[in-house]
Amino acid sequence: MEQRPFGLLLVIGVSVLFCDVTAGEPIRLKIGIVGTWTPIYDELLKKTGLSSPWDLTNITIPKPKSQFDKMLKVKDFLSDHSIDVILGPYDDATGIVADKLRIPYISTTGSKRNLKFTFQILPPLEDFSQAIFDMTKSYKWDKVSLFYDDLRGVYIMEQLLTNHDLMVKSWHVEYDQNAKVIEKQVRDHLVRMRQAFVQKSIIFCSKEHTEIILDQARSLAMLSQPSEWFFYDPGDQLVPVFKSFPDVFVNFTVFGLMAFDSRNEIATFDDSRRLNISLAADSLQVLNATLPNIRGVPRNQAAVTIAEELRKIRLPGYTGDIEFGPDGRRYNYTIKLSEIEGLDSLQTYISRHQDMWKNGFLLYHGHEFSSTSVGVWKSHPLVAEERIQFEEVKRLNRNYSFPLKGRTVSVVMILEKPFTMMKRDYMQRLGNDRFEGFAVDLITEVAKMLDFNFEIYLVHDGKFGQKKENGEWNGMIGELLAGNATMLVAPLSINSQREEAVDFTKPFMTRYISVLMRVPQSEQSYFEFLNPLHQNVWYCTFGAFIVVSVILYFLERFGIRQNKDYPTISFRESFWFVFGSLLQGNTDSSPSTLPGRILTSAWWFFALILISSYTANLAAFLTVKKINTPIKSVTDLASQTKIKYGTVKSSGIMFFFKNTNIEHFAKMWTQMSEVDPSSMVDDTDKGFQKVKEGNYAFFWDTTVNKYKTIEDCQFMEIGPYFDPKGFGIGVPPGAIYREDLSMAILKLSDTGMLHQLENKWWPSKSCPDLSKPSADETSELSIESVAGVFFILLGGIALAGIVCGFEHFAKIVKKAAKSEKNVNGKNSEIKERESFL
């Protein structure tokens, strides 16, 4: 509605000529038109006229110094110009003065004052609020949101709060010149409304704010079922706003004084003037109905007579049945509830307005609405018990439309191989082309199926989502709840706490929990050749060698030799013979007695079995990889302290350990969270890094762990798998497009597309399976494995050299001693001779 400049009151005198019986001269009835509605009345009078001729007079009231000064100037004007009736929007100063001067004021807008001579064409706000209140009770709502931007909304809120069975969430949209500030404010309101699962909303705002609310609601996909939106719009002032939402307003319901988007021979304009023109036309119509009854009335009684006749008026108008009560307010009218169905084509629109088309009054602008009246609210203020009567409402069977169709939505993801990864040359790419992975391919296929576009962005804090102490969420779930993202696509497991915060689709993948560890380094020893036999076997063999050598010497010494030509075995030769037999060697001497040969045969048989077993095991020990994993299963971690273990903070796996009642898992949680909290990591990359450093076990999803073992053969998985959960696409709470996304996932599964994507990002494993050793998993013999043999050889060479040197030294010493003995002998002989002589 157009606003009147402060302090300016424009009145045009319109004179209606009628016969004064007493004087016999024609008298002009003067009508004052208030405010800036002069062009509207001028246009209507030219079209329809009145039952008597009229003249127009323009009078301007100077700017007043105060409200009281304004009332004085209005009084002077009305008295000086003998105004008989006033038309136009309500002005408080004019209404008070007119009531004192007993001049009828036919107001086209509402007034809170009860003035006997003010007649309101527009029903009071109280009736509209009562109609909204009755609608909430008729539909048995339990929650409703109210958006308002002025004091009228406060009145509606107070009315709704009288229903104690109804929870009212009110959102005040403050006026601000910065459009971005208003948009941010409205978006925050909508997000909180969605968090409270409120699906019914009443909009009681200006046209500009209503458009902002609907635009933000569309970006949050809140303009489709089951969300419903109700609007206070007495006369199609919101039609231009609705035209910006041709594909989503199937759940819009309008409270109007006229049928929604109505057309008649007066109001054919497709803009906010339609209501004003209809109200102005009705004010002229009720005035024209009183003119025949004031003929013959004295000039000074014309105004009072018009007022008396207005109280008797009862006629159909452009805004419905018109009838005034004792207080001048309109009653016995209906407020219409219209549900908007869509936009009409020209042919459909003509068929809906056949009469107007025949009379040449119909204008088609290429985007007209199709609506259905679903109910009316009737006012009966004179009968208190029957004041409110809400007719039976027949709801429309709306055709559901996917709310994201044709739109570009924001999708939040987190870097997690192989779900979402940056391409190697991502710096040279833009938009979604920077990313690759299973999650990227999945949302691409879903978007193709449901016909919408998307923009990927990474979660700012790098977290999956955890509820903080203040009740807010961080990570990707926080992005959804804040309205920054339309959906999340990531390896985010569905659990009860997250399900309470947001909604999830049907799972597109099932994950378990497993342990990721570094592959233990194979044991390398310079004396690897000793491993085929246990050390106790080596000790026993050495002992058997000593015992057999000693026994053999005694048997050969005391036994009867069969052939005396054979050389006897000395104690030293006995040891060499037994040692040479063990190594399949030979010596010059051999047993010649029967007991010695029996013992030798037993020793040879022993050596044959021992060497054959050693040779057989040696091949496997030196060529087959031997990995001794310190942890055989997940439960082994709880019974040791050498290897640390942990998972990612704020992850679903952390919550599993925190809330589990399973004894060994609860013990692990105590170790991770209290005894050694440093074992918990901030993200998976840090977890993988700690695994690489060694002595650390990382609990994480099998899907990611499996990919890691494929990508890097330094990693290995340890089972058994536990805690199965699904990965689903996350959407804001109450989002109606969840079912469409779920259906798309099921179709991708039925067609095998999900299986193809899994094979693409989890190919066949190329690393050897260390849990299943086989003959194929062998390697060439390395120098490290047989270095001990060379060491023994070198040791033998060194020992032989030392012994040789020792023998050579002993020989020299012995020779020197012998020479000295000979010299001493000769000297003693000479001395004896000399003494003899």
Side-chain angles (χ1 to χ4, degrees):
M1 187 176 297
E2 300 177 356
Q3 295 182 351
R4 174 174 43 80
F6 177 77
L8 180 62
L9 180 63
L10 179 64
V11 181
I12 301 177
V14 182
S15 300
V16 181
L17 182 63
F18 67 96
C19 298
D20 189 340
V21 177
T22 58
E25 297 180 357
I27 300 176
R28 296 179 181 274
L29 181 66
K30 296 183 179 180
I31 305 173
I33 300 178
V34 181
T36 59
W37 283 45
T38 301
I40 296 177
Y41 279 102
D42 190 19
E43 184 177 357
L44 289 174
L45 288 171
K46 290 180 180 178
K47 280 187 176 181
T48 61
L50 294 173
S51 60
S52 299
W54 70 89
D55 292 330
L56 300 178
T57 304
N58 297 330
I59 299 176
T60 302
I61 295 178
K63 182 178 180 181
K65 298 179 182 180
S66 63
Q67 184 72 358
F68 180 73
D69 182 54
K70 181 179 180 181
M71 294 172 62
L72 293 177
K73 292 181 178 180
V74 171
K75 176 180 177 298
D76 293 339
F77 169 74
L78 296 179
S79 300
D80 295 343
H81 294 84
S82 301
I83 297 299
D84 298 302
V85 65
I86 303 173
L87 302 178
Y90 178 78
D91 176 76
D92 198 40
T94 305
I96 294 173
V97 173
D99 197 67
K100 294 297 182 181
L101 297 178
R102 301 168 63 86
I103 300 175
Y105 185 177
I106 305 177
S107 172
T108 56
T109 58
S111 168
K112 293 184 178 180
R113 293 183 181 273
N114 291 325
L115 302 174
K116 293 183 179 180
F117 285 82
T118 299
F119 302 89
Q120 302 176 24
I121 299 295
L122 182 66
L125 180 63
E126 291 88 337
D127 288 352
F128 279 97
S129 65
Q130 188 66 45
I132 294 174
F133 176 84
D134 292 338
M135 180 202 65
T136 61
K137 296 192 69 174
S138 176
Y139 291 162
K140 298 180 180 179
W141 289 355
D142 57 351
K143 297 179 182 179
V144 66
S145 282
L146 173 65
F147 290 85
Y148 66 95
D149 56 7
D150 57 19
L151 293 177
R152 297 180 303 168
V154 176
Y155 187 87
I156 298 292
M157 179 179 63
E158 292 175 349
Q159 182 72 27
L160 293 175
L161 289 174
T162 59
N163 182 2
H164 301 295
D165 296 329
L166 180 67
M167 184 182 76
V168 181
K169 292 285 186 179
S170 59
W171 315 103
H172 182 209
V173 182
E174 299 178 0
Y175 281 90
D176 195 298
Q177 294 181 353
N178 191 338
K180 292 185 178 179
V181 174
I182 299 178
E183 291 176 359
K184 175 66 167 58
Q185 181 188 75
V186 168
R187 192 175 187 88
D188 292 341
H189 292 338
L190 290 171
V191 169
R192 287 195 291 270
M193 175 185 124
R194 186 168 60 184
Q195 291 174 349
F197 296 96
V198 181
Q199 298 173 341
K200 309 293 189 298
S201 302
I202 298 173
I203 309 298
F204 211 91
C205 297
S206 65
K207 180 172 63 177
E208 294 75 18
H209 285 170
T210 299
E211 187 168 10
I212 291 176
I213 292 172
L214 294 181
D215 185 64
Q216 293 300 314
R218 176 168 57 182
S219 69
L220 295 173
M222 297 173 65
L223 292 187
S224 298
Q225 295 177 350
S227 298
E228 295 187 45
W229 300 82
F230 296 80
F231 303 88
Y232 167 73
D233 185 23
D236 294 344
Q237 292 174 304
L238 296 180
V239 169
V241 176
F242 293 155
K243 287 178 180 177
S244 301
F245 306 90
D247 54 338
V248 291
F249 55 68
V250 292
N251 57 348
F252 288 180
T253 301
V254 178
F255 284 85
L257 194 57
M258 302 181 293
F260 180 77
D261 200 38
S262 60
R263 293 293 191 275
N264 52 52
E265 65 272 18
I266 296 297
T268 59
F269 303 95
D270 185 17
D271 55 26
S272 60
R273 298 179 60 202
R274 186 177 304 151
L275 176 63
N276 294 349
I277 292 174
S278 298
L279 293 172
D282 282 348
S283 66
L284 290 176
Q285 187 176 0
V286 297
L287 175 62
N288 195 45
T290 65
L291 295 182
N293 298 323
I294 64 172
R295 296 184 182 276
V297 175
R299 179 73 177 76
N300 57 357
Q301 295 295 321
V304 176
T305 304
I306 293 176
E308 293 176 353
E309 293 298 325
L310 286 174
R311 292 187 179 93
K312 303 175 184 179
I313 287 294
R314 188 173 186 178
L315 53 83
Y318 296 109
T319 59
D321 294 338
I322 302 175
E323 185 175 356
F324 299 109
D327 56 357
R329 296 193 176 190
R330 184 172 171 181
Y331 77 106
N332 279 345
Y333 65 94
T334 59
I335 295 178
K336 299 175 177 59
L337 272 71
S338 302
E339 286 191 353
I340 307 172
E341 294 177 295
L343 297 180
D344 282 338
S345 63
L346 176 59
Q347 183 177 1
T348 304
Y349 188 70
I350 292 175
S351 64
R352 289 177 59 228
H353 302 279
Q354 199 64 244
D355 295 338
M356 295 178 60
W357 177 258
K358 292 178 180 179
N359 297 329
F361 295 119
L362 185 64
L363 295 178
Y364 179 74
H365 299 274
H367 40 253
E368 307 300 339
F369 291 104
S370 173
S371 62
T372 299
S373 178
V374 294
V376 294
W377 181 88
K378 295 183 177 180
S379 172
H380 300 284
L382 297 181
V383 183
E385 299 80 34
E386 300 177 0
R387 174 181 169 85
I388 306 302
Q389 181 182 354
F390 202 80
E391 292 189 349
E392 181 181 358
V393 178
K394 297 180 180 179
R395 309 304 300 275
L396 292 176
N397 293 323
R398 302 185 180 98
N399 294 323
Y400 174 74
S401 175
F402 180 56
L404 304 182
K405 184 175 182 180
R407 290 179 47 210
T408 300
V409 301
S410 297
V411 178
V412 62
M413 294 185 178
I414 189 171
L415 288 178
E416 186 74 277
K417 295 181 179 180
F419 290 90
T420 305
M421 302 175 288
M422 305 295 294
K423 293 182 178 178
R424 292 184 177 179
D425 57 344
Y426 72 94
M427 296 294 292
Q428 285 75 41
R429 298 175 182 268
L430 298 174
N432 298 340
D433 195 36
R434 297 171 296 164
F435 305 98
E436 64 178 354
F438 178 86
V440 179
D441 290 349
L442 174 65
I443 192 60
T444 301
E445 294 297 329
V446 172
K448 288 180 182 178
M449 186 176 297
L450 298 178
D451 190 21
F452 68 91
N453 301 315
F454 62 91
E455 292 180 354
I456 299 174
Y457 78 94
L458 300 177
V459 60
H460 304 299
D461 58 7
K463 297 184 181 298
F464 288 87
Q466 179 186 17
K467 192 174 184 179
K468 298 184 289 187
E469 294 181 356
N470 59 2
E472 297 181 356
W473 284 79
N474 59 14
M476 292 184 291
I477 294 182
E479 293 292 310
L480 276 185
L481 295 177
N484 299 328
T486 307
M487 65 186 74
L488 69 85
V489 184
L492 185 70
S493 56
I494 304 172
N495 57 35
S496 59
Q497 191 178 34
R498 288 171 176 167
E499 188 70 47
E500 289 177 357
V502 299
D503 291 340
F504 288 93
T505 63
K506 299 291 185 183
F508 58 81
M509 182 179 291
T510 300
R511 72 97 171 113
Y512 297 83
I513 300 176
S514 64
V515 176
L516 189 71
M517 293 186 64
R518 182 179 179 180
V519 175
Q521 299 296 322
S522 59
E523 298 179 0
Q524 295 289 343
S525 173
Y526 293 145
F527 297 94
E528 189 79 15
F529 64 90
L530 297 177
N531 290 336
L533 298 180
H534 194 271
Q535 59 182 0
N536 292 336
V537 177
W538 286 112
Y539 295 151
C540 292
T541 302
F542 181 75
F545 161 69
I546 299 296
V547 171
V548 171
S549 299
V550 172
I551 294 175
L552 180 62
Y553 167 73
F554 283 107
L555 291 177
E556 285 296 308
R557 182 176 179 83
F558 297 107
I560 301 175
R561 290 187 296 167
Q562 301 297 324
N563 190 349
K564 296 184 178 180
D565 295 333
Y566 284 179
T568 60
I569 297 179
S570 64
F571 189 75
R572 184 178 62 180
E573 289 295 332
S574 175
F575 279 90
W576 284 115
F577 176 79
V578 174
F579 184 72
S581 300
L582 181 63
L583 300 181
Q584 298 181 352
N586 194 11
T587 60
D588 293 336
S589 301
S590 61
S592 59
T593 65
L594 181 61
R597 290 180 177 179
I598 293 175
L599 177 62
T600 302
S601 299
W603 176 255
W604 284 347
F605 182 78
F606 167 79
L608 174 65
I609 299 301
L610 182 66
I611 292 174
S612 298
S613 301
Y614 174 83
T615 305
N617 286 339
L618 182 64
F621 267 83
L622 296 183
T623 57
V624 176
K625 290 184 177 180
K626 299 178 293 300
I627 303 298
N628 296 323
T629 57
I631 302 299
K632 303 298 182 182
S633 67
V634 173
T635 55
D636 292 343
L637 288 171
S639 58
Q640 58 84 46
T641 57
K642 181 180 179 181
I643 299 177
K644 296 182 179 180
Y645 47 87
T647 186
V648 176
K649 300 174 184 176
S650 305
S651 63
I653 298 176
M654 188 198 78
F655 287 114
F656 166 79
F657 281 101
K658 184 177 180 180
N659 301 321
T660 184
N661 293 323
I662 303 175
E663 182 179 357
H664 54 269
F665 289 140
K667 183 178 178 181
M668 290 180 182
W669 171 246
T670 303
Q671 177 70 24
M672 289 186 287
S673 61
E674 298 178 7
V675 179
D676 189 13
S678 62
S679 61
M680 302 294 287
V681 296
D682 294 328
D683 52 52
T684 53
D685 288 338
K686 292 182 179 178
F688 296 145
Q689 183 61 35
K690 293 192 72 171
V691 171
K692 254 187 176 179
E693 294 171 358
N695 284 335
Y696 184 77
F698 184 53
F699 287 97
W700 202 238
D701 297 334
T702 52
T703 54
V704 180
N705 287 348
K706 180 181 177 182
Y707 179 82
K708 201 65 182 177
T709 59
I710 296 174
E711 181 188 43
D712 191 343
C713 292
Q714 295 185 65
F715 294 94
M716 62 180 294
E717 257 189 307
I718 294 179
Y721 298 162
F722 60 95
D723 188 38
K725 281 187 172 59
F727 290 152
I729 297 178
V731 296
I736 60 168
Y737 50 87
R738 177 185 64 171
E739 296 300 327
D740 300 274
L741 296 176
S742 295
M743 187 58 65
I745 290 174
L746 293 177
K747 290 180 180 179
L748 290 176
S749 178
D750 293 341
T751 57
M753 179 57 68
L754 287 181
H755 183 67
Q756 293 181 23
L757 294 180
E758 289 183 19
N759 290 338
K760 175 182 177 181
W761 295 106
W762 285 273
S764 300
K765 191 173 183 180
S766 58
C767 299
D769 189 352
L770 302 177
S771 63
K772 298 179 181 179
S774 65
D776 296 334
E777 298 177 3
T778 62
S779 62
E780 67 275 5
L781 198 61
S782 63
I783 186 62
E784 290 83 1
S785 300
V786 294
V789 179
F790 291 93
F791 292 157
I792 291 178
L793 178 60
L794 292 176
I797 295 172
L799 181 62
I802 293 172
V803 171
C804 181
F806 178 77
E807 287 183 344
H808 182 68
F809 177 76
K811 183 179 181 181
I812 293 175
V813 172
K814 185 177 181 181
K815 186 177 181 180
K818 186 177 181 180
S819 299
E820 183 178 357
K821 184 178 181 182
N822 292 335
V823 172
N824 292 333
K826 289 180 179 180
N827 290 337
S828 62
E829 184 179 354
I830 293 173
K831 288 180 179 181
E832 288 179 358
R833 287 178 180 179
E834 289 179 349
S835 63
F836 179 76
L837 292 176

